[in-house]
Amino acid sequence: DFMNALDEVHPAFGVSEEELQQVIQNGIIHFDVVVDELLRSGELLVEQVRTSTRTPLVSVLLYGPPGVGKTALSASIAQASEFPFIKLISPDSMVGFSESQKVAAITKVFADSYKSPLSVIVVDNIERLIDWTPMGARFSNAVLQTLLVLFGRRPPKRPILEDIGFSETFDSELRMPPITTLRALEFVLREVELFKTSEERKQAIKSLEDAGFKFQIGIKKLLSMIEMARQEPDNVVQRLVGALMGLGM
Amino acid sequence: DFMNALDEVHPAFGVSEEELQQVIQNGIIHFDVVVDELLRSGELLVEQVRTSTRTPLVSVLLYGPPGVGKTALSASIAQASEFPFIKLISPDSMVGFSESQKVAAITKVFADSYKSPLSVIVVDNIERLIDWTPMGARFSNAVLQTLLVLFGRRPPKRPILEDIGFSETFDSELRMPPITTLRALEFVLREVELFKTSEERKQAIKSLEDAGFKFQIGIKKLLSMIEMARQEPDNVVQRLVGALMGLGM
Amino acid sequence: DFMNALDEVHPAFGVSEEELQQVIQNGIIHFDVVVDELLRSGELLVEQVRTSTRTPLVSVLLYGPPGVGKTALSASIAQASEFPFIKLISPDSMVGFSESQKVAAITKVFADSYKSPLSVIVVDNIERLIDWTPMGARFSNAVLQTLLVLFGRRPPKRPILEDIGFSETFDSELRMPPITTLRALEFVLREVELFKTSEERKQAIKSLEDAGFKFQIGIKKLLSMIEMARQEPDNVVQRLVGALMGLGM
Amino acid sequence: DFMNALDEVHPAFGVSEEELQQVIQNGIIHFDVVVDELLRSGELLVEQVRTSTRTPLVSVLLYGPPGVGKTALSASIAQASEFPFIKLISPDSMVGFSESQKVAAITKVFADSYKSPLSVIVVDNIERLIDWTPMGARFSNAVLQTLLVLFGRRPPKRPILEDIGFSETFDSELRMPPITTLRALEFVLREVELFKTSEERKQAIKSLEDAGFKFQIGIKKLLSMIEMARQEPDNVVQRLVGALMGLGM
Amino acid sequence: DFMNALDEVHPAFGVSEEELQQVIQNGIIHFDVVVDELLRSGELLVEQVRTSTRTPLVSVLLYGPPGVGKTALSASIAQASEFPFIKLISPDSMVGFSESQKVAAITKVFADSYKSPLSVIVVDNIERLIDWTPMGARFSNAVLQTLLVLFGRRPPKRPILEDIGFSETFDSELRMPPITTLRALEFVLREVELFKTSEERKQAIKSLEDAGFKFQIGIKKLLSMIEMARQEPDNVVQRLVGALMGLGM
Amino acid sequence: DFMNALDEVHPAFGVSEEELQQVIQNGIIHFDVVVDELLRSGELLVEQVRTSTRTPLVSVLLYGPPGVGKTALSASIAQASEFPFIKLISPDSMVGFSESQKVAAITKVFADSYKSPLSVIVVDNIERLIDWTPMGARFSNAVLQTLLVLFGRRPPKRPILEDIGFSETFDSELRMPPITTLRALEFVLREVELFKTSEERKQAIKSLEDAGFKFQIGIKKLLSMIEMARQEPDNVVQRLVGALMGLGM
Ligand SMILES: Nc1ncnc2c1ncn2[C@@H]1O[C@H](COP(=O)(O)OP(=O)(O)OP(=O)(O)O)[C@@H](O)[C@H]1O
Ligand SMILES: Nc1ncnc2c1ncn2[C@@H]1O[C@H](COP(=O)(O)OP(=O)(O)OP(=O)(O)O)[C@@H](O)[C@H]1O
Ligand SMILES: Nc1ncnc2c1ncn2[C@@H]1O[C@H](COP(=O)(O)OP(=O)(O)OP(=O)(O)O)[C@@H](O)[C@H]1O
Ligand SMILES: Nc1ncnc2c1ncn2[C@@H]1O[C@H](COP(=O)(O)OP(=O)(O)OP(=O)(O)O)[C@@H](O)[C@H]1O
Ligand SMILES: Nc1ncnc2c1ncn2[C@@H]1O[C@H](COP(=O)(O)OP(=O)(O)OP(=O)(O)O)[C@@H](O)[C@H]1O
Ligand SMILES: Nc1ncnc2c1ncn2[C@@H]1O[C@H](COP(=O)(O)OP(=O)(O)OP(=O)(O)O)[C@@H](O)[C@H]1O
Ligand SMILES: [Mg+2]
Ligand SMILES: [Mg+2]
Ligand SMILES: [Mg+2]
Ligand SMILES: [Mg+2]
Ligand SMILES: [Mg+2]
Ligand SMILES: [Mg+2]
């Protein structure tokens, strides 16, 4: 009976805390008001799933340039829902899978979710899930079609947070922008404690401001640059400013 | 013998009430006279199957933009026929099927239908059934060819209600339009009881009218927007008007 | 020995009366002199197979727009030959076949025919047999090549009546035109007894004539329109005229 | 040892008289001096294989429009060689073969030929052998490559007579033209005894001459037209002239 | 437990000294300051992996024209890290592998690396790994997608040194230029002791200088030319100058 | 141990004299100084493999129009090396092989060669090896990639002589030109003793010279023409001159 069935899929159930934790490894830095707005929108959508009788399935597209934090933010919203079923579907756990193994793995997560009263599924990095490559516009049509059907299906309640760049039919869409202001940049620098003193930090920002520096950078790349700069303690400001300037805008 | 054969396929027979019910989940709202006209046309075609000796097979194409209610309306007409065999062929029940499994599943529904004196088959979302994608114009030719042959075959009586966007040779074609008038919009708002008072509803319509608002929206997307607006009870009018305005026309 | 071999394939032999009958379901209406001419040409070709020693194989292409009656006419000519071996090769009996199963099925019909002193094979709807689709110009090359070789092979006597739209090398070609005159139209209407009185019929034709109506319609679509009009007994003239006018020429 | 090996392949050896005979069914009519010239060229090439030590392999391309008699002439030359190994490789005997079965069948014929001191292989209708179709330029590359390699290989002595339309690298090329003169036409008509009297024949030719008739027809199609005309004994001249005029030049 | 697991994969562990050695067969010649700079950059990246907690995975793209020394330099940096896990992934060890065997082999190296606290993986010659060919833009999408996912994954610490020409998303990029100055050329000539006396060498350089010689050559091709010139001891200068001049710029 | 390993592969070892001999069937005619120069270049490259420590692998591309003698010359150079391992990789010995069987066969030859201190591998007719066809630019990518990797690999010493038309990255390239002078032509004619007297030969050359004859012909085609002319002893001059003139330049 149903209870037994639940037991059977048990290992697939529950919240995959570890996986979610890993993609938010560096935390969420509130460098801009847009970060808070996105988190709030996510919260409302989760609420809609919990309460609306007409829309048990709500799909959301979270998009934006590479490295702006799509994966981390989606995972964050999912985690905050505290739903009994939260899962991350990501190409990382499917390396070396055949097309049909991927289809089966994805289908299984959705099938399992139907057994939970409330569930969130984060489908991350769809471009890699469907083996997309612009060379010859190749991709796995089988995986793509599976996702399209699953996104439109409406059995039990379940919001879907997606992080893709080319789909188009979602109930709602959220855009995650890159960092473009020195204020946000300074916020991040302070948060990660790159500089020993705040004078140093302000000086770095100042020199970028004086140079009339215009930029656009994802939080992911920014964090990576900061760690490289950290390697030469005597030279941090120069390394960081040089790397940022090298972005070429 | 034949009776035994019938017994064998028994589980496949009869009307799949549950499936049909699920796709009409939110009912049919008579927001425009076109809705009644379409339902009447469907009724006549069903009658033709019941009575004409020369045309035991009648195929109908029901088309229109995404989300205008094609699936729900087809299911509704099929259900009203009260034929002994009513089936929904939909990609939802074929997730993860291989090409040949899909062909077999579709062929089986048609084969089963030949054993019923009268039958309706709704072939829904053909784009997904044939794994269509505009990227590289890929699709399953095997499934497409199966459908083309089955649509043209004429064994026992059977109307086919299709919901596709690109086929061309049907006995008859019906077009389902999106919602474009404030009158139809108000009808829907009243029906789903989004606002607590009718003053609120009229005010919302008024403000759209004053803004010279022109729009085009499928009933499916409209219902989804309404549920999102419902999440913030203090702010319903503003949320709904904002979302509608955001459609950008 | 040979007699035994014949016994083995026995179920495949003989004339498949039922199949032929089914595709001529609505009979042959002699609505125009061209119908008689085509039937006469078919008769002559059948005669050539029976008597000529130099041309044991005669292939004929019967072509024309969709629905003009290609299938029914071919079956009619084949039936009239009264040859011991008459077969219809059609995609309807191969739904869900793999490419190699189709090739095998087609090859078998031809191989069986070689055991009969005289035979006719009607290869119907080649576009579907080869899984042709204009999207990406896809089709089964294996089936196409099989047909091309079989059409050109000349073992025992056997005429082939084909109904395709794109081949080119046949011994002879016959073109089946659509209906374009009010006289032919009236002939059909009388034959199928759509109207209760001949006054009604003449009136319908008159009103089309007065409107300067120009048209082009296959007999198949015409019969289908007639049956739809028949559904509303009080409104037959108007429904039929309306539908015909809707053809848009 | 070698003698044993010979025994093993014995059934594949020797001259396949029957097959050759079948493709020359209607004999060789010497309607033009070019026919004799082509036969003489073939004879010389056969002689070269027999005697030259430097060129044990001689490949010849025999090409021309459809139906000019390429197959029959190749078979004729091969037959006249009286070599111990004469084989016809033709798609007719490979209907329904998979790609690899075709490659194996072709390879086997060549392998067998190496065991004969002198051999001729006629590779007929290469377009069908390689499953060529202009739609999408599809063909079996495996079969094509097999042929290209085999044509260039030079183990024991062996001429190859080919009948293809698109290859290019042969030791020698012979072109087979269609019939274009009334003299050749009359020759054929006399040979096949279409008319009861030579007056009738001359009259037919006369009427074509008077009409300034220009034409171009393969011997194969001509023989087919003649047989059709023969069906209406009272009307032979008119039918034949009509059919010829219908060629449209 | 973990120790046992380590034992199991033991043969795959450790540093593959031999392989690394083989690709640096001809040593690293410091013909230009850029060589030292690249080695220093590599050293810093290795340091980042060792110490940073936020960036356990650092990926680097080392690119440049054919034969500039990408493979040798990558191997050199990897070797200098003295990490417990150093592996070279190269098409040389996968000749004749099927697509899925390649995916499995690559995946295994990364999986093994996760068991080491610190590791370097050099992915060499990605164009060959993915079977890239410009004719028809063909390549193995399965291998490409595997690499893209693995490059972005961040389990334990591990820098990746890549040597490809068309990827784009790496934490850092290093460009290896070809040799373009006579100074660098002379440096190499001295190092490999092509000439018996330094007078000879200077004379060769002089004659190139006088001719206004402009060039661009990878170290790999240059070493190959030098060895050819070495074959004719009496003619070394002339052979080398001739070959260099033949580069045509 | 190594000696045992050698024993195992023994049948694959050694020089495949017979195969080499077969492709040089008609000997090497020194009709032009370029023939000697090419042989000398080959000799030097062989020497480099024998002696250089830095370049154990030397790859050479021998290219030119069809039939100029690429295969025979490569085989000749290989044979002259007298290395313990000399092998010809040619499509002739792989007729009917699947893609993976070809890859395996090629890989095996290279693997065997690594067991010999010195080896030459002639990779002949790469276009056929990779199943190249200009129609649709089809070819076996698996075989192509295998060759590209093997050509670049550098285990033990081994020169590769290639005869292809479209590759690009070899250590060295040699171009084999067609015959274009009457002097070279006469040289060949004398060598093969086509004419009974040298007067006849001179007369033939004279008549070509007088006609202002310009030509370009591969040695392979020339030898074939000569043998055809030899078939009619009374007519040799005329046949040969006619055939040459027919080349059309
Ligand atoms: N406000 C923030 N939003 C999102 N991520 C943040 C934020 N602040 C810090 N981070 C950190 O930045 C990194 C964002 O990387 P993430 O993988 O989520 O980006 P992405 O947009 O998914 O990249 P990609 O386009 O490569 O998939 C994470 O390590 C995360 O912990
Ligand atoms: N008059 C109506 N006609 C159709 N559907 C209606 C109507 N009124 C309300 N609905 C509801 O609107 C929704 C229509 O969604 P449906 O899936 O049928 O649209 P669709 O056109 O098939 O969408 P898609 O293009 O995505 O397949 C259903 O939930 C249905 O209950
Ligand atoms: N003169 C006629 N010739 C042919 N069919 C006729 C004629 N008169 C009546 N019919 C009827 O018209 C219908 C013709 O349909 P048929 O399937 O043969 O057309 P078709 O050209 O093969 O169509 P399609 O292009 O779809 O294959 C049949 O039901 C047949 O009984
Ligand atoms: N002089 C002739 N040369 C060739 N065939 C002749 C000649 N005279 C009569 N025939 C007859 O004409 C027919 C020629 O048909 P054949 O199949 O050889 O033509 P083909 O060029 O191979 O046709 P296709 O292009 O269809 O392959 C044969 O039946 C042959 O017996
Ligand atoms: N400074 C240097 N940097 C790199 N390689 C050097 C240097 N000096 C000498 N070499 C030698 O030059 C050769 C460089 O060849 P390598 O295979 O690394 O080039 P590559 O750029 O990887 O070539 P390809 O584009 O073909 O992959 C090696 O033999 C190496 O030992
Ligand atoms: N100087 C020469 N060089 C090469 N071959 C010669 C020479 N003199 C005579 N020959 C003969 O000419 C023939 C050359 O044919 P070969 O197959 O080598 O040409 P190829 O260029 O490889 O042709 P293909 O382009 O078809 O592969 C051989 O029979 C060879 O014995
Ligand atoms: Mg991401
Ligand atoms: Mg729908
Ligand atoms: Mg038909
Ligand atoms: Mg032929
Ligand atoms: Mg390299
Ligand atoms: Mg060659």
Side-chain angles (χ1 to χ4, degrees), chain E:
Chain E
D1 63 11
F2 194 61
M3 277 304 107
N4 282 348
L6 266 179
D7 276 355
E8 270 165 56
V9 302
H10 192 259
F13 251 90
V15 182
S16 40
E17 269 298 339
E18 213 176 321
E19 269 180 320
L20 290 171
Q21 209 44 60
Q22 192 170 29
V23 301
I24 332 181
Q25 217 171 340
N26 292 325
I28 300 292
I29 302 174
H30 297 248
F31 55 80
D32 194 301
V33 69
V34 77
V35 174
D36 300 284
E37 283 172 7
L38 287 169
L39 288 168
R40 170 75 186 136
S41 297
E43 216 178 302
L44 276 180
L45 291 163
V46 163
E47 224 37 52
Q48 182 177 350
V49 173
R50 203 192 304 275
T51 61
S52 164
T53 56
R54 285 178 184 273
T55 49
L57 168 71
V58 180
S59 64
V60 193
L61 173 67
L62 183 57
Y63 68 102
V68 293
K70 298 178 294 297
T71 303
L73 208 87
S74 303
S76 218
I77 293 171
Q79 215 172 21
S81 77
E82 301 195 321
F83 278 6
F85 186 94
I86 304 176
K87 271 282 180 194
L88 181 64
I89 295 183
S90 150
D92 287 9
S93 56
M94 300 192 196
V95 172
F97 276 33
S98 70
E99 199 175 46
S100 60
Q101 286 175 316
K102 279 189 192 176
V103 167
I106 293 167
T107 306
K108 185 168 171 11
V109 173
F110 279 80
D112 286 353
S113 81
Y114 302 155
K115 299 182 185 144
S116 163
L118 290 169
S119 44
V120 191
I121 299 171
V122 175
V123 184
D124 192 37
N125 205 349
I126 295 191
E127 290 185 348
R128 282 300 75 70
L129 273 180
I130 65 167
D131 288 340
W132 167 257
T133 173
M135 283 188 285
R138 287 214 259 164
F139 59 95
S140 159
N141 197 19
V143 176
L144 175 59
Q145 299 294 334
T146 300
L147 291 174
L148 289 178
V149 173
L150 290 171
F151 291 168
R153 245 161 100 172
R154 76 201 71 182
K157 302 196 170 193
R158 176 186 29 123
I160 302 174
L161 296 157
E162 271 119 314
D163 156 16
I164 72 172
F166 56 87
S167 181
E168 53 198 343
T169 42
F170 290 86
D171 294 321
S172 169
E173 303 203 352
L174 302 175
R175 183 175 188 283
M176 183 107 189
I179 296 174
T180 53
T181 66
L182 289 174
R183 238 187 101 258
L185 176 64
E186 186 173 2
F187 193 103
V188 174
L189 292 175
R190 186 173 56 231
E191 204 75 8
V192 301
E193 297 174 9
L194 176 63
F195 298 102
K196 285 189 219 83
T197 63
S198 65
E199 279 70 50
E200 260 185 304
R201 192 181 67 237
K202 280 176 184 150
Q203 179 205 323
I205 294 295
K206 186 74 179 21
S207 72
L208 286 167
E209 198 166 16
D210 292 349
F213 182 52
K214 299 267 170 258
F215 68 110
Q216 186 161 327
I217 188 171
I219 178 76
K220 196 169 158 187
K221 182 122 202 159
L222 177 57
L223 291 178
S224 169
M225 278 185 178
I226 288 170
E227 291 315 300
M228 276 186 214
R230 214 193 282 276
Q231 297 316 303
E232 291 191 287
D234 307 339
N235 222 347
V236 173
V237 176
Q238 198 176 315
R239 277 251 148 194
L240 183 75
V241 169
L244 283 170
M245 293 297 207
L247 289 175
M249 271 197 55

Side-chain angles (χ1 to χ4, degrees), chain B residues 51-73:
Chain B
T51 61
S52 164
T53 56
R54 287 178 182 274
T55 49
L57 168 72
V58 179
S59 64
V60 193
L61 173 66
L62 182 57
Y63 69 102
V68 293
K70 298 179 295 296
T71 302
L73 208 88

Side-chain angles (χ1 to χ4, degrees), chain C residues 32 34 52 86 113 173 183 246:
Chain C
D32 195 302
V34 76
S52 165
I86 304 175
S113 81
E173 304 202 352
R183 236 187 101 259

Side-chain angles (χ1 to χ4, degrees), chain B:
Chain B
D1 63 5
F2 192 63
M3 277 302 108
N4 281 347
L6 266 181
D7 277 357
E8 270 166 57
V9 302
H10 192 257
F13 252 89
V15 182
S16 40
E17 270 298 336
E18 212 177 323
E19 269 179 322
L20 290 171
Q21 210 43 62
Q22 191 171 31
V23 301
I24 330 180
Q25 217 171 342
N26 293 324
I28 300 292
I29 303 174
H30 296 249
F31 56 79
D32 194 302
V33 68
V34 77
V35 174
D36 300 283
E37 282 171 10
L38 287 169
L39 287 168
R40 170 76 185 137
S41 296
E43 217 179 301
L44 276 180
L45 291 163
V46 163
E47 226 35 53
Q48 183 177 349
V49 173
R50 203 191 306 274
T51 61
S52 164
T53 56
R54 287 178 182 274
T55 49
L57 168 72
V58 179
S59 64
V60 193
L61 173 66
L62 182 57
Y63 69 102
V68 293
K70 298 179 295 296
T71 302
L73 208 88
S74 303
S76 219
I77 293 171
Q79 214 174 18
S81 77
E82 301 196 322
F83 279 7
F85 185 94
I86 304 176
K87 271 283 178 194
L88 180 65
I89 294 183
S90 150
D92 287 8
S93 55
M94 300 191 194
V95 172
F97 276 32
S98 70
E99 199 174 46
S100 61
Q101 285 174 316
K102 280 190 193 175
V103 167
I106 293 167
T107 305
K108 184 167 172 14
V109 172
F110 278 81
D112 285 353
S113 81
Y114 301 155
K115 298 180 184 147
S116 163
L118 290 169
S119 43
V120 191
I121 299 171
V122 176
V123 185
D124 192 37
N125 206 349
I126 296 192
E127 290 185 350
R128 280 300 76 67
L129 273 179
I130 65 167
D131 289 340
W132 166 259
T133 174
M135 282 190 285
R138 288 214 259 163
F139 59 96
S140 159
N141 198 19
V143 175
L144 175 59
Q145 299 293 334
T146 300
L147 290 174
L148 289 178
V149 172
L150 290 172
F151 290 167
R153 246 161 99 173
R154 75 201 73 183
K157 302 198 170 191
R158 177 185 29 124
I160 303 174
L161 296 158
E162 272 120 312
D163 155 16
I164 72 173
F166 56 88
S167 180
E168 55 197 341
T169 42
F170 290 86
D171 295 321
S172 171
E173 303 202 352
L174 303 175
R175 182 173 187 284
M176 182 107 189
I179 295 173
T180 54
T181 67
L182 289 174
R183 236 187 102 259
L185 176 62
E186 186 175 1
F187 193 103
V188 174
L189 292 176
R190 189 173 54 229
E191 204 74 10
V192 301
E193 299 174 5
L194 175 63
F195 299 102
K196 286 190 218 82
T197 65
S198 67
E199 278 69 47
E200 259 185 304
R201 192 182 66 238
K202 281 180 184 147
Q203 179 205 324
I205 294 295
K206 185 78 180 20
S207 73
L208 286 166
E209 198 167 13
D210 292 348
F213 181 53
K214 299 268 170 257
F215 68 110
Q216 187 161 327
I217 188 171
I219 179 76
K220 197 169 158 187
K221 182 121 200 160
L222 178 57
L223 292 178
S224 168
M225 276 183 179
I226 288 170
E227 292 314 302
M228 274 185 217
R230 216 192 281 276
Q231 297 316 304
E232 292 190 288
D234 307 338
N235 222 347
V236 173
V237 177
Q238 198 176 316
R239 276 251 148 194
L240 184 76
V241 170
L244 283 169
M245 293 298 207
L247 288 174
M249 270 196 57

